[in-house]
Amino acid sequence: MKAVNKVASVTLLFWLMKITATTLGETLGDFISMTLNLGYTVGIFITLLFFGITLATQLKVKKYIPIIYWLVIVGTTILGTEISDFIDRTLKAGYLLGSLLLISGLLLTLFLWYKKYKDLEVYPIIDRNKEIYYWIAILFSNSLGTAFGDFLSDNLGLSYLIGACITGVIILIVVLLHYFTKINHAVLFWIAFVFTRPFGATFGDFLTKPISHGGLNLGTLNASLVSLALLLLMIVISHKKQNKEISLTP
């Protein structure tokens, strides 16, 4: 049996779904740990279990299935939120040190990936071991994004909206570099992937935090439900797009 691609292609829809998933990860992670008052340790255990189940399913299937793939992405965003908050608030390491630890883990993963495969290409991915590197890098990048987003708001004192604008500008610069320079597109992908996480994280905080703190005060549950509905809608669109492509294939 011929091996086929296991991951999503990088399109505009991909980035819209990624940002929505990261916002959902931020709000749902805060809902579990803070709104439900379960704490970061219990939160990590719950989200780690969800991530483990969805990742095991993703690794087992033989082709790219949008609903499964994006459930794993959501799992990494929720777990990333819990890991970042655990480092800062339970271990008392702070967001700056947490960011440095997580970026070191991400760079090490990408280095080992490149050393083994001589590239950092994210599409298509067929090899199982390469897919494992892919998901480890995604988990580190989403954890890093949460820590960096909280560093902007908590350590630098920036409002959540300004934090989202700063990361949004960085993403725009990466897009311009993609279209107008010859910088390796795989490198630009990982830079964009990292910074879409703090964009989603700061936007999630903007939705949930009190108005007195610069937020919209929607609450973690309502913000999570809105983000989930948007993500599910885009997953349906992704499934229809994939089915159409398959039907057009000779």
Side-chain angles (χ1 to χ4, degrees):
M1 180 179 177
K2 183 180 178 180
V4 296
N5 170 63
K6 296 286 300 295
V7 301
S9 59
V10 183
T11 62
L12 177 60
L13 180 61
F14 172 90
W15 290 114
L16 292 175
M17 295 175 76
K18 168 63 166 55
I19 292 171
T20 305
T22 57
T23 302
L24 175 60
E26 176 72 12
T27 58
L28 192 55
D30 287 344
F31 174 75
I32 293 172
S33 61
M34 292 189 288
T35 304
L36 295 181
N37 199 30
L38 296 177
Y40 301 112
T41 304
V42 175
I44 285 179
F45 176 79
I46 293 173
T47 53
L48 182 60
L49 181 62
F50 175 78
F51 171 66
I53 293 173
T54 56
L55 179 59
T57 304
Q58 166 68 23
L59 292 175
K60 187 175 181 180
V61 297
K62 303 301 182 182
K63 64 178 182 178
Y64 167 62
I65 301 176
I67 183 64
I68 297 175
Y69 174 90
W70 286 103
L71 280 176
V72 184
I73 292 289
V74 170
T76 65
T77 64
I78 303 172
L79 183 56
T81 298
E82 300 296 344
I83 290 174
S84 173
D85 289 341
F86 178 78
I87 292 174
D88 175 69
R89 299 170 188 177
T90 301
L91 300 182
K92 306 297 183 182
Y95 288 122
L96 178 58
L97 179 57
S99 296
L100 293 174
L101 290 173
L102 292 167
I103 197 171
S104 297
L106 175 60
L107 291 175
L108 177 60
T109 302
L110 294 178
F111 170 76
L112 294 175
W113 177 343
Y114 185 82
K115 185 177 180 181
K116 183 175 179 63
Y117 294 100
K118 306 305 178 187
D119 68 57
L120 294 174
E121 297 294 338
V122 297
Y123 183 88
I125 289 183
I126 298 172
D127 182 84
R128 180 185 178 88
N129 290 331
K130 189 174 185 179
E131 186 183 1
I132 291 174
Y133 279 112
Y134 176 87
W135 288 114
I136 293 174
I138 284 178
L139 179 58
F140 270 121
S141 70
N142 280 330
S143 302
L144 170 62
T146 301
F148 182 75
D150 288 336
F151 172 75
L152 290 177
S153 58
D154 294 356
N155 292 54
L156 298 185
L158 302 178
S159 70
Y160 300 114
L161 184 57
I162 291 177
C165 289
I166 289 174
T167 52
V169 169
I170 294 173
I171 294 168
L172 177 60
I173 291 173
V174 173
V175 172
L176 293 175
L177 290 174
H178 171 73
Y179 284 107
F180 297 105
T181 73
K182 295 182 179 180
I183 297 176
N184 185 279
H185 64 274
V187 173
L188 291 177
F189 169 86
W190 285 109
I191 294 174
F193 201 95
V194 167
F195 281 102
T196 50
R197 181 59 177 112
F199 181 82
T202 52
F203 190 69
D205 285 334
F206 173 65
L207 293 176
T208 59
K209 300 302 181 182
I211 295 175
S212 60
H213 292 169
L216 294 181
N217 198 31
L218 293 180
T220 55
L221 179 58
N222 289 335
S224 296
L225 291 175
V226 170
S227 298
L228 179 60
L230 289 173
L231 183 60
L232 289 175
L233 174 61
M234 286 185 282
I235 288 175
V236 170
I237 294 173
S238 181
H239 269 286
K240 289 184 177 180
K241 180 181 177 182
Q242 184 187 34
N243 291 336
K244 183 178 180 180
E245 291 174 349
I246 292 175
S247 65
L248 293 175
T249 301

